[in-house]
C-alpha cells in the first residue's frame, strides 16, 4: 500500500515515515502540499496522511483536491489544533479519519491496517460480482 505523508514539521514527518516503512508500507513524504499534490496527480496512491496547518495551502484544501484527483484515495487528517467543527468538516469533505496531535505511530498504523482490510474487502466484492 502506497502512503503519502504531508507534514511540515520535519521530526514528525520523518518519525511517521520511518515507522510506516518499518511496517512494510511504501511511503513518500513531503513538506510542501503543492509538491505532494503534483506527485499524487502523477502516481498511484492509496492513502494520504496530511496535516491541516501547512504552508502555501491548508489541509482542507489538499483534501478537496485529492478527492477531485481520485475519490478512492483515503485521506487521514492530522492536526495539533483539533476542533469538532474541523473534524466534522473534514469528514463531510471525504476524510477517512481525523487524528489530533500528539498521537503515536502505532495509532496511525492501526488506522492504515483498517484501510487495508477495507480495500481487500472492496476488491473481493468486485471480484465476486464478476463471477456468474
Amino acid at each position: 500500500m502506497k502512503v503519502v505523508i504531508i507534514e511540515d514539521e520535519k521530526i514528525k514527518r520523518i518519525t511517521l515515515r520511518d515507522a510506516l516503512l518499518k511496517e512494510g508500507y511504501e511511503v513518500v513524504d513531503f513538506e510542501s502540499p503543492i509538491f505532494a499534490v503534483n506527485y499524487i496527480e502523477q502516481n498511484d496512491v492509496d492513502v494520504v496522511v496530511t496535516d491541516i496547518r501547512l504552508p502555501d495551502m491548508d489541509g482542507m484544501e489538499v483534501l478537496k483536491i485529492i478527492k477531485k484527483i481520485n475519490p478512492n484515495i483515503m485521506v487521514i487528517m492530522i492536526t495539533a489544533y483539533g476542533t469538532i467543527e474541523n473534524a466534522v468538516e473534514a469528514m463531510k469533505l471525504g476524510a477517512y479519519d481525523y487524528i489530533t496531535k500528539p498521537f503515536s505511530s502505532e495509532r496511525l498504523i492501526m488506522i492504515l491496517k483498517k484501510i487495508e482490510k477495507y480495500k481487500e474487502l472492496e476488491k473481493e466484492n468486485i471480484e465476486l460480482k464478476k463471477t456468474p
Side-chain angles (χ1 to χ4, degrees):
M1 194 160 75
K2 190 174 210 172
V3 181
V4 169
I5 298 171
I6 311 169
E7 168 64 80
D8 59 326
E9 199 180 307
K10 187 177 182 179
I11 293 169
K12 187 67 179 171
R13 187 175 69 249
I14 291 168
T15 303
L16 289 175
R17 181 194 65 205
D18 291 350
L20 296 185
L21 286 170
K22 205 165 116 180
E23 283 292 314
Y25 293 104
E26 189 180 338
V27 183
V28 184
D29 61 292
F30 296 91
E31 181 177 348
S32 161
I34 292 168
F35 290 139
V37 166
N38 287 337
Y39 178 85
I40 294 162
E41 284 177 329
Q42 297 168 25
N43 294 275
D44 283 336
V45 173
D46 298 299
V47 179
V48 174
V49 179
T50 182
D51 196 354
I52 289 182
R53 287 200 177 174
L54 294 164
D56 306 321
M57 182 189 312
D58 81 342
M60 294 296 187
E61 191 60 32
V62 171
L63 172 60
K64 289 177 196 171
I65 292 168
I66 290 168
K67 287 300 180 177
K68 280 182 189 163
I69 294 169
N70 182 348
N72 295 321
I73 295 173
M74 301 292 195
V75 181
I76 300 168
M77 310 295 289
I78 57 176
T79 184
Y81 308 95
T83 64
I84 292 170
E85 291 80 15
N86 272 354
V88 168
E89 183 186 355
M91 300 314 252
K92 280 183 181 174
L93 292 172
Y96 178 81
D97 211 335
Y98 183 96
I99 311 172
T100 53
K101 294 178 188 176
F103 63 90
S104 67
S105 297
E106 290 77 26
R107 176 151 182 229
L108 180 59
I109 289 164
M110 189 179 74
I111 293 167
L112 290 173
K113 288 192 184 306
K114 277 187 196 173
I115 290 173
E116 276 182 294
K117 281 191 176 129
Y118 173 81
K119 287 190 174 276
E120 282 173 27
L121 286 171
E122 196 175 48
K123 194 174 165 185
E124 210 175 280
N125 195 10
I126 290 167
E127 292 302 314
L128 284 171
K129 284 181 180 177
K130 288 179 185 175
T131 310

